[in-house]
Amino acid sequence: MKSAVETLNPTRVRLTVEVPFEELKDSLDAAYKKINQQVTVKGFRKGKIPARVIDQRFGRGAVLEEAVNDALPKFYTAAVNEADIDPLGQPEVDITELKDGETLNFTAEVDVRPEIEIPDYSGIEVTVDAIEVGDEDVEKAVQELRERFASTAPVERAAQDGDVVTVDLEAKVDGEVLADGVAEGVSYTIGSGELLDGIDEAVTGLEAGGEATFTSELKGGSATGKEAEVTVKVTTVAQRELPELDDEFAQLASEFDTLEELKADSRKRLADMKQYDQATQAQERVLEELLKLVDVPMPEKLLEDEINTRKHNLEHHQLGQMGLDLAKYLEIQGKTEEEFVAETKEAAVKGIKTQFILDALVSREKLSVNQEELTEHLMRRAASSGMSPDQFAKAVVEGNQVQVLVGEVARGKALAKVVESAKVVDTDGEIVDMSDDEDETETAAETVEAVVDGDEAKGEEKAEA
């Protein structure tokens, strides 16, 4: 086999491959064997039909087609290795010549990873929010904890904001009660916003036994997105009663003996959360500055595929789970389809650039991933996916995704290295020492994943950490 590579542009090449016919022998033998198992010819046992009979009955062309389909991937891979290129995605293959008994010639065009020069990034400077935990922040956190330990007691009065009501619901669309539009004994806290729009106004002021009708757009079920006439009947009204803020509450709600100890722990937890947010903010802003420093040629086919993948994931996964279609989503967001496409393309370009640049840094700095780092990353990914570590690890191995996880950790290490060399200052003018963050690699990996994958849920996941 002979091959040559032609650079069409910085991100695309054309391979020209010439294969002597004798190198197709194994694939031709495999083609005859496969056809032998698929066809029957009178007078011959299945699998024992001579090659000349197959040629006569089914045509030599059918055999050649089967052989070429079997051989092309092997010759393409050999040509890629010989040319020492890093292909991205599937090639566009064109058979330019096929002469029986003589030669097979073909070309393969494919996007390739561009060569990237990483400039000196030690001069990057970013500003992040200062870590400030005020008394009001602590009081809010303790109040939220107090809300979780609230009890309820029935009252004989009209329902008001904050009360817990038990209601029966019936939804009609175009005057017809929906098959899935009836619910009984639903518990709802007035003002929580956890049910239908308009229900707060409808039930406020009603006593047990009272009912009201209101219109609302349905958020789920068979008539998602449609306006419905909803009848709500209040069966019970209960008042939420909060525990007293004292040492007894601290013992009930935590491992601490006093309220002051509980407040001190809340202050520390809030500071830790803000420190995590600060580290993430630093990583995001340093990454933004790094992207500005490096010019990255964009493979057109790869970009097109990435845009389509992001649109598909949004429409068929994220929006599907919320019972929305793209049109309704754009209406809620107040965006046109053109604006959505432009934003998706911008995010896709950023994701691809981020991956290319950090991969180049991994290679240049010879960064490696040890077993402990990979295990820690796998544990976090398992938790975020709702799977046990064993289940997630099994899925990763069966899906041949181990190297994907290794790449995620390696990119996180690359970003962490850039962040450590950058000057990070908070809004109070204080220098932030990012090298003190023990989990910097893992948080950096999360930051990179969110950009590369375009998954907003990762941002929410980080906020919950």
Side-chain angles (χ1 to χ4, degrees), residues 150-167 186-190 203 206-209 234-242:
S151 58
T152 58
V155 292
E156 295 182 2
R157 59 164 172 76
Q160 58 190 35
D161 189 45
D163 284 346
V164 179
V165 292
T166 304
V167 298
V186 178
S187 180
Y188 175 66
T189 301
I190 300 176
V203 298
L206 294 182
E207 297 184 16
V234 176
T235 57
T236 64
V237 178
Q239 177 178 283
R240 300 179 77 247
E241 297 180 349
L242 299 176

Side-chain angles (χ1 to χ4, degrees), residues 379-401:
M379 297 281 281
R380 184 188 63 77
R381 289 293 303 271
S384 66
S385 68
M387 302 169 68
S388 72
D390 287 345
Q391 289 174 323
F392 188 79
K394 182 179 179 182
V396 167
V397 173
E398 290 179 349
N400 296 318
Q401 296 295 298

Side-chain angles (χ1 to χ4, degrees), residues 326-394:
L326 182 59
K328 189 63 181 178
Y329 169 75
L330 294 178
E331 180 184 332
I332 294 172
Q333 294 290 314
K335 297 177 183 175
T336 65
E337 186 169 353
E338 290 74 18
E339 289 171 332
F340 166 72
V341 170
E343 289 178 4
T344 303
K345 180 178 180 180
E346 182 180 356
V349 168
K350 182 178 179 181
I352 294 171
K353 284 187 65 174
T354 296
Q355 186 168 340
F356 283 168
I357 292 171
L358 294 181
D359 283 348
L361 267 173
V362 168
S363 178
R364 191 182 81 172
E365 302 295 340
K366 296 181 173 55
L367 300 177
S368 60
V369 177
N370 61 42
Q371 187 61 49
E372 182 181 352
E373 292 167 334
L374 182 60
T375 300
E376 181 182 352
H377 187 62
L378 185 147
M379 297 281 281
R380 184 188 63 77
R381 289 293 303 271
S384 66
S385 68
M387 302 169 68
S388 72
D390 287 345
Q391 289 174 323
F392 188 79
K394 182 179 179 182

Side-chain angles (χ1 to χ4, degrees), residues 129-146:
D129 295 335
I131 298 176
E132 298 176 353
V133 179
D135 292 342
E136 64 278 7
D137 297 319
V138 177
E139 293 301 326
K140 181 181 177 183
V142 173
Q143 182 63 25
E144 289 174 352
L145 182 61
R146 187 185 181 201

Side-chain angles (χ1 to χ4, degrees), residues 31-40 46-47 49 58 66:
Y32 279 117
K33 184 175 181 180
K34 183 176 180 180
I35 294 173
N36 240 309
Q37 299 299 322
Q38 294 175 337
V39 302
T40 57
K46 196 174 186 67
I49 308 169
F58 305 101
E66 183 66 40

